[in-house]
């Protein structure tokens, strides 16, 4: 008889220490449907347990050292960079400018050569036109 009373008291103490087990068993189906609610026959149905009570139950379970499988999956981290694009690529632009400035003397020589050749062609054309005019007279 005494052992039965001890078991009853132990059970009562155990249940008093962990009241969340009963709540978790009661709301297990509802919690597995989603965090905020679920779609039922094309209509949004909120959970029958409020967010405050759900959060309190979650806190009690986690404090007891148990796991809480009803949290939603974490979303992927945002990888978009903040700030202005011109600020991020300015270093690359400076490097490119430094490389181009090293090539600048060769580029100037090539430009002057092209201009000189173009001028010479024009002079040759003028000279040929004058010679043709002299021959035709």
């Amino acid at each position: 008889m005494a052992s039965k009373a001890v078991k009853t008291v132990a059970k009562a103490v155990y249940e008093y220490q962990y009241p969340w087990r009963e709540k978790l068993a009661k709301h297990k189906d509802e919690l597995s449907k989603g965090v905020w609610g679920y779609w039922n026959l094309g209509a949004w149905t909120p959970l029958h347990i409020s967010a405050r009570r759900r959060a309190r139950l979650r806190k009690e379970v986690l404090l007891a050292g148990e796991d809480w499988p009803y949290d939603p999956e974490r979303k992927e981290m945002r990888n978009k960079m903040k700030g202005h694009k011109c600020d991020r690529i300015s270093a690359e632009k400076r490097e490119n400018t430094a490389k181009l400035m090293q090539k600048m003397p060769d580029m100037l020589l090539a430009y002057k050569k092209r201009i000189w050749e173009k001028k010479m062609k024009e002079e040759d054309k003028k000279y040929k036109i004058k010679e043709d005019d002299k021959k035709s007279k």
Side-chain angles (χ1 to χ4, degrees):
M1 188 76 172
S3 65
K4 191 174 184 182
V6 170
K7 288 180 183 177
T8 307
V9 169
K11 184 178 177 187
V13 168
Y14 178 77
E15 289 176 359
Y16 179 75
Q17 285 180 341
Y18 302 105
W20 56 265
R21 288 188 193 274
E22 294 173 6
K23 294 176 192 172
L24 190 61
K26 180 179 175 184
H27 298 293
K28 193 170 204 162
D29 294 334
E30 193 71 18
L31 290 170
S32 64
K33 292 179 182 175
V35 178
W36 300 281
Y38 55 96
W39 288 99
N40 184 18
L41 300 174
W44 178 256
T45 307
L47 293 182
H48 295 281
I49 182 172
S50 70
R52 179 175 61 90
R53 291 202 171 109
R54 180 189 179 280
R56 187 170 193 164
L57 179 60
R58 179 182 182 272
K59 181 181 172 184
E60 289 174 2
V61 169
L62 292 176
L63 284 175
E66 300 288 324
D67 63 328
W68 181 259
Y70 306 111
D71 280 337
E73 295 179 9
R74 301 282 299 204
K75 290 185 179 178
E76 188 175 318
M77 290 282 292
R78 183 178 144 173
N79 58 3
K80 185 177 179 184
M81 299 177 85
K82 290 191 171 187
H84 297 283
K85 183 178 178 181
C86 61
D87 295 336
R88 292 194 304 270
I89 63 171
S90 60
E92 295 173 13
K93 283 187 174 183
R94 277 189 235 111
E95 289 175 13
N96 190 24
T97 304
K99 289 177 185 176
L100 289 174
M101 289 303 289
Q102 289 175 350
K103 297 178 185 177
M104 188 59 72
D106 298 332
M107 293 169 72
L108 285 172
L109 285 174
Y111 172 74
K112 287 179 180 177
K113 186 177 178 184
R114 282 195 316 267
I115 296 295
W116 184 80
E117 288 174 353
K118 186 177 178 183
K119 188 176 180 182
M120 290 295 119
K121 284 182 182 178
E122 289 176 3
E123 285 182 9
D124 286 344
K125 284 182 184 177
K126 285 181 184 177
Y127 183 71
K128 285 182 182 178
I129 291 173
K130 287 181 180 177
E131 284 183 358
D132 290 341
D133 288 341
K134 286 181 182 178
K135 286 183 184 177
S136 64
K137 287 185 180 181

